[in-house]
Amino acid sequence: MKTNLLEVVMGAVVLVICAVFILFSYSNSQWKAVEGYEVIAKFSRIDGLVKGSDVRLSGVKVGTVKDIRLDPGTYLAIVHIALAPDVLLPKDSSAEITSESLLGGKFLALVPGGDDEVIPAEGEIMHTQAAVNLEALIGQFMFSSQEKSQEKQ
C-alpha cells in the first residue's frame, strides 16, 4: 500500500510539472491571432510557408499569414496577410519568404519602403521575393564544385 501511495504522489508531481511547462510555453509564445487589416502578396513559390506563419518587420512579429490560395489564371500563390492596425506599410514595401534557421520553418519578412503613401486595407504588396529552394541551391553548389575540379584535371 505504501508503494502505491508513493507512485500516485510521484505521478501527480509529474502532471503538475507538465502543466507548469505547458502554461509557461503558452504564455511566452506569440501564438495569437493578429487583429487588424489584411493585405495580399503574390509569389511564384512559397516553399514551406503555411497558414499561421509569422509575418515580421525588422524581426518583430507584426502579423500572421491568414490564408494561401492559388491564382488559377497566373499560377501565382496569393498570400493573405493579417497585419496589426498600427503597422502602416509604404506602397513600395517588399515581402520576402525567409527561413528561421537552416532547419527551421519559414516566415514572411516585410521590408518597408520610403514612399509617403501607405498600402490600404485589402491592398497588395507589389514587390515580392520567392522562397529560396535550399535543396536546389545545395545541389547547384555540389555540381558546380565537381565541374571545377574536373576542369582543373
Side-chain angles (χ1 to χ4, degrees), residues 91-150:
K91 276 202 178 250
D92 59 345
S93 297
S94 64
E96 55 190 43
I97 299 172
T98 310
S99 295
E100 290 181 0
S101 65
L102 188 59
L103 298 175
K106 303 278 187 175
F107 68 93
L108 190 66
L110 299 176
V111 180
D115 201 341
D116 291 335
E117 291 185 50
V118 296
I119 299 173
E122 305 298 323
E124 181 179 349
I125 299 173
M126 299 303 294
H127 308 288
T128 59
Q129 182 178 344
V132 176
N133 188 342
L134 187 61
E135 293 85 8
L137 195 62
I138 291 172
Q140 188 178 23
F141 173 74
M142 288 173 50
F143 290 120
S144 69
S145 64
Q146 285 178 354
E147 290 172 4
K148 288 179 183 178
S149 65
Q150 289 176 357

Side-chain angles (χ1 to χ4, degrees), residues 6 8 16 31 35 46 65-66 96 101 135 139 146 148:
L6 181 63
V8 169
V16 168
W31 192 54
E35 300 297 326
I46 57 163
V65 174
K66 192 172 181 183
E96 55 190 43
S101 65
E135 293 85 8
Q146 285 178 354
K148 288 179 183 178

Side-chain angles (χ1 to χ4, degrees), residues 8 20 43 49 54 66 69 80 89-90 111 129 139 141 146:
V8 169
V20 168
F43 293 91
L49 192 71
D54 286 352
K66 192 172 181 183
R69 299 186 186 256
H80 295 260
L89 291 174
V111 180
Q129 182 178 344
F141 173 74
Q146 285 178 354

Side-chain angles (χ1 to χ4, degrees), residues 14-27:
V14 168
L15 289 176
V16 168
I17 291 173
C18 183
V20 168
F21 276 123
I22 289 172
L23 288 173
F24 176 75
S25 298
Y26 181 75
S27 65

Side-chain angles (χ1 to χ4, degrees), residues 68-86:
I68 298 173
R69 299 186 186 256
L70 181 67
D71 183 356
T74 61
Y75 299 110
L76 293 174
I78 302 173
V79 179
H80 295 260
I81 305 162
L83 291 173
D86 59 335

